[in-house]
Amino acid sequence: MDSQNRIFNFSPAHPLVKANFFVRTSYCCIVIIPFLSIAYEINLGTLFYIIFILQTLSWPFIAYLIAKMSRNQKSVELHFNLNMEIFIYSIWIPITSFSPLYILLLLIALGTGGLTAGGFPLLISRSASAILGVLIGGIIFGFRYSGEITLPTIISTSIATIIISWATALFSHKTSKKMILTRKLLKDEKSKLEKELTEAADYVKTMLPSLINNGVINVNYKFIPSATLGGDAFGYHWIDSDNFVIYLLDVSGHGVGAALLSTSVLNFIRSQALSHTDFNNPSHVFEKLNLAFQADKNNDMFFTMWYGIYSKKTKILTHSSAGHPPALMFTHQNAKEQSVVKLMARNSIIGGISDNTYTQKSQHISTGTSIYIFSDGVYEIKKPDGSMLKFQEFEELLINQLEKSQKTLDNFYDYCLEINEMDRYDDDYTMIKVAFV
């Protein structure tokens, strides 16, 4: 069964395949009458009558099945069926002794069908198929010309020509109206979605904390939501007179759903609404969040997180990370040298297995230390050669662009955009700098 599905496609027919089936059926039924009249005048044998009628009545169904059972229905319909049918019917041009009226019928079908379905490229390929059909038909049946045409043949062919051209034009008109309506609906839906994303982004921004520039801890950040709104959210505040908390989370996926989940988690932490939770204990916070925000109850969304508690009294930072990139701590050993420490604990994401346990670590913080906390979208940078920036290279970028040169987070963001050669990141961009003065 699997091998059959790789060859055939049993899904519903593409709208173009359906539409062309009805147009093809009507056209094939209409063209029989003038053909029989032309064939009668040039004394074609009975076998040709039978072959043409069988071919004409069966071709719409054969073409429909060929397209429907293919893996790319639209492509097969445009590039195979429409060329094959004009090729088959062009073979009959030499058989009908190059009857001008049959050629006229075929030219109308060639032009209207080609231009309506695929424009000039399809018209050119159908013309080539028609020429090939005439050549093959002429080689097999000979190149004879008969210019004798009676009035009944002219009338029947003219009626068929008018019906074919009018039917094709009507179909094209209805298709165009549907396309215009569909585009309008898509445009309206896009505008509605963009409005919702803008409102959600504005709401997320209202949840962000103020900068801190005049304390023992200074905090600055750069937050740019993506166009599709990701799930980044962060915060920091004094839990009490001694303990300062910093946290950053990144919900999987994009859109309003991810933003709502991130702000919900943010509110739980800010208001300390998780019952029986020690918010001075990162691993305990993660365990409680993991139980409260299981992915199967949140539209299969999970999140990564970095969480740290700094004690002003002991100068110890207790931290943990749940599937999140490590924070980078820079300490100044002297005027020229700096050391970099990755602040992370290897834990799984939040929202996965309900009985997960989480570990945490501690780090002494000396005066002059800077810590950068960020989401994964920050270091997903494409280099000029097309390769992605490695995490170690990102560390060096931070040292050179922020620590040594004393550039701002805004400068660093602009510099990364230049490397990426883009106007904005595809994902949320969140970078927090915590300076211990």
Side-chain angles (χ1 to χ4, degrees), residues 14 16 36 62 83-84 108 117 171 208 215 221 232 251 273 287 303 333 342 347 361 366 370 383 399 412 416:
H14 188 279
L16 178 66
L36 293 178
I62 295 172
N83 282 301
M84 178 57 70
I108 291 173
F171 170 71
L208 301 179
Y221 63 81
D232 284 14
V251 176
E287 288 170 6
F303 58 94
Q333 296 177 339
K342 293 186 178 72
N347 295 307
K361 293 183 178 181
S366 58
S370 297
K383 296 188 291 186
I399 293 173
F412 184 74
C416 291

XYZ file of all heavy atoms in Angstrom, residues 14 16 36 62 83-84 108 117 171 208 215 221 232 251 273 287 303 333 342 347 361 366 370 383 399 412 416:
219
model
N -7.556 18.228 -7.735
C -7.239 19.655 -7.677
C -8.362 20.441 -8.374
O -8.935 19.979 -9.360
C -5.892 19.891 -8.377
C -5.366 21.267 -8.228
N -5.793 22.325 -9.008
C -4.434 21.784 -7.370
C -5.146 23.423 -8.645
N -4.315 23.116 -7.652
N -8.298 22.844 -10.465
C -8.032 23.025 -11.899
C -8.370 21.761 -12.675
O -8.926 21.825 -13.780
C -6.569 23.394 -12.102
C -6.120 23.567 -13.560
C -6.818 24.757 -14.193
C -4.610 23.731 -13.660
N -17.956 15.234 -37.794
C -18.691 14.251 -38.598
C -19.088 14.839 -39.949
O -19.055 14.155 -40.976
C -19.932 13.773 -37.847
C -19.670 12.946 -36.576
C -20.981 12.582 -35.896
C -18.884 11.682 -36.911
N -9.953 9.990 -19.241
C -8.549 9.552 -19.186
C -7.671 10.668 -18.616
O -6.841 10.439 -17.737
C -8.051 9.142 -20.583
C -8.817 7.890 -21.075
C -6.553 8.877 -20.571
C -8.540 7.532 -22.515
N -1.228 19.605 -23.270
C -0.382 19.432 -24.456
C -0.715 18.146 -25.198
O -0.721 18.112 -26.432
C 1.097 19.428 -24.051
C 1.622 20.820 -23.781
O 1.588 21.687 -24.649
N 2.088 21.052 -22.569
N -1.017 17.081 -24.434
C -1.324 15.800 -25.055
C -2.602 15.874 -25.890
O -2.667 15.341 -27.004
C -1.456 14.715 -23.978
C -1.825 13.337 -24.512
S -0.663 12.715 -25.766
C 0.780 12.392 -24.763
N -8.899 27.737 -32.268
C -9.670 28.391 -31.196
C -9.457 27.661 -29.882
O -9.212 28.271 -28.829
C -11.163 28.455 -31.559
C -11.370 29.429 -32.726
C -11.988 28.883 -30.341
C -12.766 29.444 -33.273
N -5.692 28.834 -19.292
C -5.126 27.962 -18.253
C -3.714 28.342 -17.843
O -3.379 28.304 -16.667
C -5.148 26.509 -18.729
N -16.221 30.486 -18.807
C -15.472 29.777 -17.764
C -14.352 30.658 -17.226
O -14.117 30.738 -16.015
C -14.893 28.486 -18.337
C -13.908 27.811 -17.428
C -14.319 27.188 -16.261
C -12.549 27.826 -17.735
C -13.404 26.582 -15.421
C -11.629 27.220 -16.895
C -12.065 26.592 -15.738
N 6.502 44.054 29.689
C 7.944 44.100 29.885
C 8.312 45.044 31.029
O 7.685 46.091 31.216
C 8.633 44.537 28.589
C 8.379 43.652 27.362
C 9.110 44.209 26.154
C 8.788 42.220 27.636
N 21.203 51.034 40.308
C 21.241 50.204 41.499
C 22.501 49.365 41.551
O 23.439 49.574 40.772
N 17.892 45.741 28.037
C 17.483 44.667 27.131
C 17.114 45.208 25.762
O 16.847 46.401 25.586
C 16.305 43.865 27.709
C 15.023 44.662 27.918
C 14.151 44.926 26.860
C 14.670 45.109 29.190
C 12.982 45.632 27.054
C 13.501 45.811 29.402
C 12.659 46.071 28.328
O 11.496 46.781 28.530
N 8.562 34.599 22.978
C 9.525 35.088 23.966
C 8.834 35.970 25.006
O 7.974 36.794 24.663
C 10.626 35.905 23.290
C 11.637 35.036 22.565
O 11.340 33.837 22.367
O 12.693 35.545 22.175
N 8.414 30.140 24.156
C 7.384 29.149 23.842
C 7.574 28.661 22.410
O 7.906 29.432 21.504
C 5.974 29.747 24.031
C 4.891 28.743 23.614
C 5.767 30.171 25.469
N 1.915 33.234 41.648
C 0.610 32.597 41.766
C 0.682 31.075 41.841
O -0.339 30.416 42.028
C -0.271 33.005 40.581
N 9.777 22.720 38.214
C 8.930 21.546 38.454
C 7.460 21.947 38.565
O 6.574 21.263 38.031
C 9.391 20.820 39.717
C 10.722 20.083 39.523
C 11.303 19.575 40.828
O 10.611 19.690 41.871
O 12.449 19.066 40.816
N 7.728 25.060 26.371
C 8.631 26.202 26.358
C 9.953 25.880 27.042
O 10.047 24.964 27.873
C 7.993 27.451 26.992
C 7.535 27.293 28.412
C 8.359 27.654 29.489
C 6.261 26.817 28.700
C 7.921 27.529 30.798
C 5.812 26.694 30.009
C 6.650 27.050 31.065
N 39.174 39.986 34.099
C 40.350 39.611 34.881
C 41.353 40.756 34.951
O 42.008 40.957 35.953
C 40.998 38.366 34.276
C 40.089 37.137 34.353
C 40.706 35.928 33.682
O 41.596 36.067 32.845
N 40.245 34.747 34.060
N 29.684 29.696 30.814
C 28.312 29.355 30.410
C 27.503 29.001 31.665
O 27.879 28.108 32.420
C 28.304 28.164 29.449
C 28.935 28.435 28.099
C 28.728 27.209 27.198
C 29.299 27.443 25.803
N 30.765 27.437 25.803
N 18.731 20.385 31.582
C 17.384 19.902 31.928
C 16.530 19.882 30.668
O 16.824 20.557 29.675
C 16.731 20.823 32.962
C 17.457 20.805 34.291
O 17.683 19.747 34.871
N 17.833 21.992 34.793
N 22.337 25.139 39.542
C 23.736 25.369 39.868
C 23.899 26.735 40.525
O 22.987 27.578 40.476
C 24.604 25.289 38.607
C 24.669 23.898 37.992
C 25.599 23.878 36.791
C 25.699 22.478 36.195
N 26.628 22.434 35.027
N 31.227 38.418 40.943
C 32.109 39.492 41.408
C 31.688 40.820 40.790
O 30.986 40.866 39.779
C 33.558 39.175 41.038
O 33.684 38.998 39.631
N 29.252 40.885 33.920
C 28.092 41.079 33.050
C 27.548 39.721 32.627
O 28.322 38.805 32.315
C 28.475 41.882 31.796
O 28.901 43.180 32.135
N 25.958 33.477 8.091
C 27.172 34.181 7.672
C 27.148 34.437 6.166
O 26.348 33.832 5.438
C 28.406 33.354 8.065
C 28.559 33.189 9.580
C 29.882 32.550 9.950
C 29.954 31.091 9.532
N 31.181 30.419 10.010
N 31.911 39.225 22.796
C 33.108 39.811 23.412
C 33.587 41.022 22.614
O 33.825 42.101 23.163
C 34.241 38.764 23.511
C 33.844 37.656 24.498
C 35.539 39.426 23.955
C 34.820 36.498 24.522
N 24.566 46.148 18.680
C 24.793 44.720 18.441
C 23.685 44.143 17.569
O 23.955 43.340 16.657
C 24.852 43.980 19.778
C 25.190 42.518 19.633
C 26.479 42.111 19.317
C 24.212 41.541 19.811
C 26.793 40.767 19.173
C 24.513 40.202 19.662
C 25.802 39.806 19.345
N 24.242 42.460 13.852
C 23.803 41.095 13.497
C 22.904 41.103 12.263
O 22.971 40.191 11.436
C 23.074 40.453 14.674
S 24.150 40.078 16.082
